[in-house]
Amino acid sequence: MKTRVVVVDDHTLFLAGVRAELGDAVDVVGEAGSVAEAVPLIKELDPDVVLLDVHLPDGSGDAVIARVAPERPGVRFLALSVSDAAEDVIAVIRAGARGYVTKTITGEELVDAIRRVGDGDAVFSPRLAGFVLDAFRAGDALGGDAELDELTPREREVLQLIARGYMYKEIAARLHLSVKTVESHVSNVLRKLQLSSRHELTRWATQHRLI
Amino acid sequence: MSHMAAPPFAPSAEGRALAGVCAGIARTLGVDPTLVRLVFAVLALAGGAGVALYLALWAHAKVGRPVLTALLGLAAGSLLLLAVGLGGSAVVGIALVVGGLALALRRGGSFRPDAPISYGGVALAAVGAVLLLPGGDGPTTVVAPGAVIGTLVLIAGPMLWRLALDRDAERAARFRSEERAEVASRVHDSVLQTLALIQRHASEPQRVAALARRQERDLRGWLYGDRPLGDDGASLEAALSAAAADVEELHGVRVELASAGDCAVDEAVHAVLLAAREAMTNAAKFAQVGVIDVYAEATEDEVAVFVRDRGAGFDRAAVPADRRGLLESIERRLERAGGRAAIVSAPGEGTEVELRLPRSAA
């Protein structure tokens, strides 16, 4: 069965391009150009995956996730952006997106990313891996849940390899792990990113906004 | 005179003695008409001021002729002042001030700073003020300074206020235009140049794509990274990004750059940068793939840059001498800077160049 996808993006040119690139590989069941349009549409269509622009005219992508997720927990979000502002990307991931890719991604890679997110995997582009490493690095955990506030050495290693451009199976080969194990490391990082109470994460985002 | 405001009262036909002015006022104010008539009678005793005032109000309400009303009002005021015991020049002065201000008010509709100024009215008021200045006997010394100060405030206040507003607006406008000029010059130096280049190379898709990517990087660095447009030496990430754009443009490949942390570029970091650029160029030339992944990490202990491709790869022992030299130059450069380079490759398995520089050596 084809993955049912809703694309949320306010750039019509980009929408048309994505539709053409995705072709028959997935089933694009709906399109929306704003938070206000997207929320009822996604609730109604209940797709497998929402391809979500980080910046929308009437808000940011995390607003869509926050309003849809409680009612449609099965819908998975893949963030997509031309923005390199690290705090925006981290914000949408923390809101619950299962991955982040840049708009320069090729059609083939995008189809693959959508499928993986649809299967429940996390999709980390090299750039996102870099952001996450940076966000988790600043010093020791200050209180909170230590298990959530730190990356394990293995998780760090996996993220570094993703940042260096390794695919999951290449990482598995290099670290002598199974691909499933690599996937679960990445999912754990995602969970920590979303649940961590870590002060540094907020501080880091604030600093990035200020700089 | 259709634009004149409606009269505040209408002469009352009911219970009138003369033209109904007193009865009208009494009704408007809600007092006994006899009281109003008494006031007018007392005023009439003051040199006939009451009579003039009565006529002025009647002219205002009944006939609707403002000039006649004003003249009669002035006459009434003058008579009253004379009756109080003011000197002749003081009366003329006060009359002129009042008349002038009335004229200014009629012309502008208000004394607010945005109302048009009636220069005639202001001049009239000013002449009146001058006449008042010499002072004179008795009550004039009390009334005159107040009248002069009041006139000055009424005339000069709005003008000064308007001047201050104009200056603020001017300053804001200058600030905006300076800002616009700066953005324009930045956009001109980068975006417009690139667009021009793209138009000239419209038939070469690879070059156009490379130009667009480079400009995108540049603009993004400025928008999100507070990095000056075109200033590539500011930090490790900025410099790597510029090098990546160069390689993309020269060799038509895509360089995916990721980073964690950033640092300033000193001599040792500069060596890492040059080595990274060489590694990217090598990959672009020999790997025969479309994408090169570059990852830079700056921590407290170390600066590390990884350049990776999934291309042809090579056997170190079998590479031609000229290319081996290039590889060795990467390694030697890092050693001189106090770091270490490792080149991992095998035929068919791509190549990864690792550049590591301990931070203490930097």
Side-chain angles (χ1 to χ4, degrees), chain B residues 79-126:
Chain B
L79 289 171
L80 189 61
L81 288 171
L82 277 172
V84 174
L86 285 177
S89 73
V91 170
V92 175
I94 289 178
L96 284 175
V97 168
V98 170
L101 290 180
L103 198 58
L105 186 61
R106 233 190 67 162
R107 165 81 190 281
S110 76
F111 284 114
R112 289 212 320 275
D114 51 345
I117 279 188
S118 161
Y119 291 102
V122 168
L124 214 59

Side-chain angles (χ1 to χ4, degrees), chain A residues 82 84 160 164-166 170, chain B residues 220 295 297 306 310 352:
Chain A
V82 290
D84 263 358
Q160 273 167 340
R164 284 160 67 172
Y166 283 67
E170 294 170 324
Chain B
R220 209 184 271 174
Y295 172 57
E297 194 176 64
F306 304 87
R310 285 199 193 78
E352 183 162 45

Side-chain angles (χ1 to χ4, degrees), chain B residues 211-260:
Chain B
L211 281 169
R213 279 181 71 80
R214 183 197 182 88
Q215 188 56 63
E216 183 198 333
R217 250 185 238 279
D218 216 27
L219 205 54
R220 209 184 271 174
W222 182 47
L223 288 175
Y224 302 116
D226 197 20
R227 185 192 304 156
L229 265 183
D231 180 3
D232 301 328
S235 74
L236 173 68
E237 208 220 324
L240 262 184
S241 169
D246 282 346
V247 172
E248 285 185 337
E249 208 173 319
L250 282 169
H251 302 284
V253 293
R254 200 172 104 207
V255 180
E256 285 293 339
L257 181 64
S259 67

